[in-house]
Every structure is written in C-alpha cells, then in structure tokens.
Amino acid sequence: MQMREATLERNTRETQIRVRFNLDGSGEAQIKTGIGFFDHMLISFSRFGYFDLDVQAQGDLQVDPHHTIEDCGIVLGQALQKALGERQGIERVGDTSLPMDEALVQVALDLSNRPFLVWDVECSDGMIGDFPVEMAEEFFRALAVNAGITLHIHLITGKNRHHIMEAVFKGVGRALGLAVRVNPRFKGVLSTKGVL
C-alpha cells in the first residue's frame, strides 16, 4: 500500500509553519511550536492516532500564542486533507470515549468533506502552562474546516484543565486514527453518493 503522507508549509507575517503528516505511521512525533503544553498535546494526538507527525512552527509569541496555535490547526488540516486524497477505502467515521483521571471526553467524527465543529467542553478559561484554554476550540475548528471533518467533542465529566485538554487531544487522535483506517472489504468511498 502506498504511504499516505503530505508535507506542507505556510508562511505569513505572523507564523512560519511546516508540517509532515503520515497517516500510516506508528505514533512518532517531532513537535516544536514554542508552546510547551501545545507540543505535549500534539505528541499525544499523534501517539493515540498512530500518526507520524512533524510540526515545526515559529510564531509571534511575543504577541500571544493565538496565531501559532490556530495556524498549526490550519496547516495540519490541509496536510490531512492532502494525505487522504480521494478518501478511497477508508472507514470514514471514528468515535471514542477517552478518560484521563476524573475527566471523560467523547469524540465522534466523520471525514465527510463537510466541515463542522461541535465544541461542548465546559472548561474554565485560564492557562495550562503557556497554553490558553480557549485556544483549543480555535485549533480544532481550524483543523476541522481545513480537513473537511464533521467533528463533535463533548466533555462528559472533568474538573482539572490539564486532564480535560489531554483527554480531548488524545480522543480526537484516537477517533481520527480509526476513521482513516483502510478497510479492504470495499472499494471506493463509503458514501451512497459515491463521492465525498
């Protein structure tokens, strides 16, 4: 089977980002965004989806982390879209419930080419290290829009911000890993329309 992989770069006045996204990896990640907790979350996302992921980002962190985090979502989404190609033979949908100590997150997604985000995560605003909690929603919106994902993320229970965010990133990685799997039982795309 041909390796499903894409490498993309995006350079603006605010950020310079390079991403290599391999859907058929083993969960190895090389992440350097300048935002420690965000690096940790992308490594967790990669590991739980069995993706090989390389993200190198330089952004205007002297302003704040907003542009770097959102733009990483944009480029990751575009790389995922490119790596998926015509989405032939993939399972297309994936879902999981992911616990992290007291936190429990439910994630369901569809690689439908119809981008939509439902973010039902009641988590108190604030910082986790150098990561603003409210930026998680912006990251996943950018990822969903640019990759063509219908993405639902729901917090079932949780109090600790770190635990909640880690469950979210691991859960999305896990659900996406299930959705991109190739099923040899059918050809084409999993759609009654015959196209995604």
Side-chain angles (χ1 to χ4, degrees), residues 43-87:
I43 291 167
S44 296
F45 165 84
S46 170
R47 185 65 51 88
F48 275 71
Y50 303 103
F51 307 123
D52 287 347
L53 188 61
D54 189 333
V55 178
Q56 303 298 316
Q58 290 185 316
D60 55 356
L61 298 181
Q62 76 280 3
V63 176
D64 74 6
H66 187 117
H67 299 140
T68 301
I69 296 168
E70 184 175 30
D71 288 5
C72 281
I74 290 170
V75 183
L76 276 165
Q78 291 172 346
L80 173 58
Q81 178 82 285
K82 185 176 178 182
L84 283 169
E86 296 179 359
R87 306 183 186 216

